[in-house]
Amino acid sequence: MKRQPVTLVAGLIVAGLFLAMLVCFQVRQTESVVVTTFGKYARTITDPGFNLRAPWPIQSLHRFDNRVRNFERKYEQTTTRDGRILIIEVFLGWRVKEPRTFLERFGGDPDRAEQNLEGILRDAKNSVVGQHPLSDFISPNPKDLKFDEIENQMLASVKPKALETYGVEIALLGIKRIGLPQGITEKVFERMKAEREQLVKKFQGEGAGEAIRITS
């Protein structure tokens, strides 16, 4: 008989913990949570800490990792402004910025989000590369290269659409790898060689002229 109060207290504690698990939840520093009521949007929580909710199935929680994810576009051909073919691989870093939009658009599925990001990234890459000549990508003079400008143009094209349509923030974007088809590679090297030979002849001519002037 003496055990009944102890058993009762233990039972109340267990029941209290179970109830707390039903109506309390924690939001971590690295995530955001969307709360839905009977499947409809209720609120978004982005600040870490403990919160209250109605027990399931009245309210449900949808958690999203807000850290940056890496996504790489396929290594594929793109045409420059002067009609040359480049093979470019582009990468971007993205994260969930608007959890409600992300949930309604993709059901919270990152793979579906990346399938859509692939399309807008391809369009931006083709559009921006098509505005630049080959010499902006490949040149014997490093000062002629415009990778930073090209990457910023791609980012400016992708960023607003990704945020507004998908609830995704594009944190960074860059060109990972660049190449040329075999046939074009040989032509480019020949052109670069010809440019170098012209520079050599120019310097030789200037040197010969300076030598004549000094001798005179």
Side-chain angles (χ1 to χ4, degrees):
M1 298 295 293
K2 293 181 180 180
R3 293 183 178 179
Q4 288 183 353
V6 176
T7 304
L8 179 60
V9 171
L12 290 174
I13 293 175
V14 172
L17 291 174
F18 182 72
L19 179 62
M21 292 175 61
L22 290 177
V23 299
C24 297
F25 66 96
Q26 180 184 9
V27 178
R28 297 181 180 86
Q29 186 74 35
T30 58
E31 68 180 3
S32 55
V33 175
V34 173
V35 182
T36 57
T37 303
F38 295 116
K40 294 184 179 180
Y41 174 80
R43 68 185 191 276
T44 299
I45 304 170
T46 56
D47 295 328
F50 283 94
N51 296 269
L52 297 175
R53 64 155 181 171
W56 184 88
I58 299 174
Q59 287 191 326
S60 300
L61 305 179
H62 306 272
R63 299 180 181 272
F64 302 100
D65 192 328
N66 56 26
R67 290 172 292 187
V68 176
R69 298 170 179 264
N70 182 62
F71 172 68
E72 296 181 1
R73 184 72 190 95
K74 297 176 181 177
Y75 196 44
E76 61 183 12
Q77 293 186 357
T78 305
T79 305
T80 62
R81 187 181 67 192
D82 47 357
R84 302 299 179 88
I85 297 177
L86 282 177
I87 307 176
I88 299 180
E89 183 177 359
V90 181
F91 71 92
L92 58 79
W94 67 277
R95 60 179 162 221
V96 178
K97 184 67 174 179
E98 299 292 343
R100 178 182 180 178
T101 304
F102 189 80
L103 176 63
E104 294 174 346
R105 191 73 170 77
F106 306 114
D109 186 352
D111 292 335
R112 288 180 56 194
E114 290 188 345
Q115 289 175 2
N116 285 266
L117 287 174
E118 183 176 10
I120 65 171
L121 181 57
R122 182 195 302 113
D123 293 342
K125 175 178 67 70
N126 292 340
S127 175
V128 172
V129 172
Q131 299 172 23
H132 290 266
L134 180 65
S135 57
D136 288 353
F137 300 90
I138 299 175
S139 174
N141 186 359
K143 294 182 180 180
D144 293 338
L145 301 177
K146 297 182 179 179
F147 285 106
D148 290 341
E149 177 183 335
I150 292 167
E151 290 170 347
N152 288 334
Q153 288 176 349
M154 290 184 190
L155 180 62
S157 176
V158 171
K159 195 168 185 176
K161 184 175 182 180
L163 182 60
E164 181 181 354
T165 308
Y166 306 143
V168 167
E169 177 187 21
I170 307 300
L172 54 95
L173 185 151
I175 297 174
K176 180 179 179 180
R177 187 167 48 154
I178 188 169
L180 292 167
Q182 182 63 33
I184 296 179
T185 302
E186 295 174 356
K187 294 179 181 178
V188 170
F189 283 140
E190 289 175 0
R191 180 172 61 83
M192 292 173 65
K193 181 179 178 181
E195 291 175 355
R196 287 298 183 182
E197 289 176 349
Q198 289 178 357
L199 287 174
V200 170
K201 291 179 181 179
K202 177 183 176 182
F203 293 146
Q204 287 176 339
E206 292 175 352
E210 185 66 14
I212 293 173
R213 186 187 68 79
I214 293 173
T215 302
S216 300

